[in-house]
């Protein structure tokens, strides 16, 4: 029987994961099926139990079930443990369900694909919610010169900076005091992990935090540049949306499940052209 994989979420219709994984399967010659399923808000555990008891090999988990998946896993990878959230479940040979979080690997792979390094660089992370929590430890492990977390509610950024202080050079600053709080040097990399782009809102950011070589990376993706990306471009810096992160996290899930690393660059190009042509 073909190995079965599934992505669950609520909503789920927007998910590009089935398309991405079928492109990976085609590219690597792996025989598998990958479907999507809408799960009721209180139905994650029942849906996951059913899927794995019927022989399912792996599951991706999107909003709002990443914490349910964290609780569901029999064992957790170190990254998932630290993130407190799971986006990938894998059935092991002995029937245990292992929880992983591949979001940060996807983000880092995409930043590197764009020719940027994190090591010895000044990094600014905007936001202090779940999306940010999962990327802090893997980024700190790469040894940035400094990582500053700026958030509208400073207290949340302070808590994260305190919690992750053991992994590297990290500190917090209130979003509205970025220029005073962040020091006089510009940032090499600015990552938007707030939900403003999803809400179609913009952030008030001071011009002085960028130089022309800075990359501003929005963790969400869209056919049109987000307000954050437009701001970066207007400052003469580079801007990226999170489409490559989406494909990169899927590639890491695929590697965990199948032991083969797909080439994600071509898949990003296919999705980008579908998006621009309004096909998806
Ligand atoms: P997620 O789990 O997707 O990260 P979240 O936990 O709701 O979602 O976090 C959303 C993040 O976006 C928070 O950092 C939030 O700032 P607050 O902690 O102050 O709420 C940030 N955010 C949302 N709307 C914002 C806005 N209009 N301006 C600035 N930050 C905003």
């Amino acid at each position: 029987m073909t190995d079965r994989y599934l992505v669950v979420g609520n909503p789920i219709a927007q998910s590009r994961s089935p398309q991405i994984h079928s492109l990976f399967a085609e590219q690597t010659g792996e025989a598998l099926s990958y479907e999507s399923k809408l799960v009721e808000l209180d139905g994650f555990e029942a849906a996951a139990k059913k899927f794995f008891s019927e022989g399912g090999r792996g599951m991706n988990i999107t909003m709002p079930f990443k914490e349910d998946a964290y609780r569901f896993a029999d064992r957790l990878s170190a990254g998932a443990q630290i993130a407190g959230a799971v986006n990938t479940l894998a059935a092991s040979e002995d029937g245990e369900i292992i929880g992983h979080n591949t979001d940060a690997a996807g983000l880092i792979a995409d930043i590197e694909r764009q020719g940027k390094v994190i090591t010895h660089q000044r990094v600014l992370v905007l936001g202090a919610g779940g999306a940010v929590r999962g990327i802090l430890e893997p980024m700190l492990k790469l040894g940035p010169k400094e990582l500053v977390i700026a958030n509208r509610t400073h207290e949340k950024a302070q808590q994260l900076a305190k919690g992750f202080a053991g992994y590297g050079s990290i500190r917090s600053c209130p979003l509205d005091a970025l220029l005073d709080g962040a020091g006089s040097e510009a940032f090499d990399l600015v990552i938007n992990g707030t939900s403003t782009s999803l809400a179609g809102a913009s952030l008030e950011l001071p011009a002085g935090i960028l130089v022309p070589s800075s990359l501003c990376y929005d963790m969400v993706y869209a056919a049109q540049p987000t307000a954050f990306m437009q701001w970066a471009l207007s400052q003469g810096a580079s801007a990226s949306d999170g489409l490559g992160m989406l494909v990169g996290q899927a590639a890491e899930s695929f590697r965990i499940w199948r032991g083969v690393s797909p080439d994600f660059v071509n898949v990003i190009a296919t999705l980008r052209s579908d998006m621009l042509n309004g096909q998806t």
Side-chain angles (χ1 to χ4, degrees):
M1 199 175 84
T2 311
D3 286 350
R4 288 192 306 120
Y5 297 86
L6 187 68
V7 58
V8 302
N10 187 338
I12 197 64
Q14 80 294 347
S15 176
R16 290 167 198 267
S17 294
Q19 184 192 3
I20 296 172
H21 282 279
S22 59
L23 289 168
F24 287 164
E26 207 173 286
Q27 185 198 99
T28 57
E30 293 284 305
L32 55 88
S33 78
Y34 189 109
E35 290 176 353
S36 64
K37 185 178 167 65
L38 177 72
V39 167
E40 291 305 317
L41 292 177
D42 60 355
F44 177 79
E45 189 181 345
K49 264 194 184 139
K50 181 167 188 294
F51 176 71
F52 285 110
S53 70
E54 290 172 356
R57 301 302 308 157
M59 184 185 271
N60 279 137
I61 300 92
T62 185
M63 287 222 303
F65 298 124
K66 292 185 184 184
E67 286 164 19
D68 296 80
Y70 172 86
R71 287 189 289 273
F72 181 81
D74 297 318
R75 276 196 292 129
L76 294 164
S77 70
Q81 180 86 57
I82 294 165
V86 158
N87 75 339
T88 304
L89 288 169
S92 70
E93 289 308 320
D94 56 12
E96 269 195 317
I97 308 300
I98 320 295
H100 302 263
N101 192 319
T102 65
D103 287 333
L107 171 69
I108 291 167
D110 194 38
I111 288 170
E112 289 175 350
R113 177 183 69 89
Q114 299 187 46
K116 278 274 164 193
V117 291
I118 290 169
T119 309
H120 302 316
Q121 301 292 295
R122 292 197 80 228
V123 179
L124 172 63
V125 176
L126 305 169
V132 165
R133 185 178 183 86
I135 63 168
L136 292 178
E137 182 264 350
M139 297 231 311
L140 285 169
K141 252 189 2 209
L142 294 172
K145 185 170 170 192
E146 180 172 54
L147 190 154
V148 176
I149 313 180
N151 196 44
R152 180 176 59 181
T153 312
H154 186 213
E155 199 187 5
K156 285 208 253 166
Q158 279 176 309
Q159 278 167 7
L160 281 183
K162 199 168 156 213
F164 284 85
Y167 298 105
S169 171
I170 181 167
R171 68 189 174 82
S172 70
C173 122
L175 190 60
D176 58 9
L178 252 180
L179 263 193
D180 320 324
S184 53
E185 279 177 82
F187 290 98
D188 303 295
L189 177 64
V190 181
I191 297 174
N192 183 14
T194 70
S195 50
T196 50
S197 300
L198 286 172
S202 54
L203 287 163
E204 295 291 319
L205 296 169
I209 62 173
L210 300 181
V211 285
S213 59
S214 307
L215 171 65
C216 290
Y217 193 100
D218 206 327
M219 286 172 74
V220 308
Y221 59 89
Q224 300 302 324
T226 63
F228 169 73
M229 291 167 65
Q230 287 174 27
W231 168 79
L233 295 170
S234 75
Q235 302 300 312
S238 311
S240 170
D241 73 355
L243 185 67
M245 173 178 177
L246 173 80
V247 181
Q249 63 79 29
E252 181 60 11
S253 297
F254 194 92
R255 188 193 65 75
I256 289 168
W257 291 329
R258 310 299 300 180
V260 186
S261 292
D263 167 14
F264 74 109
V265 175
N266 286 337
V267 175
I268 296 172
T270 304
L271 263 75
R272 179 72 68 199
S273 103
D274 286 359
M275 248 163 66
L276 292 175
N277 294 328
Q279 285 180 15
T280 50

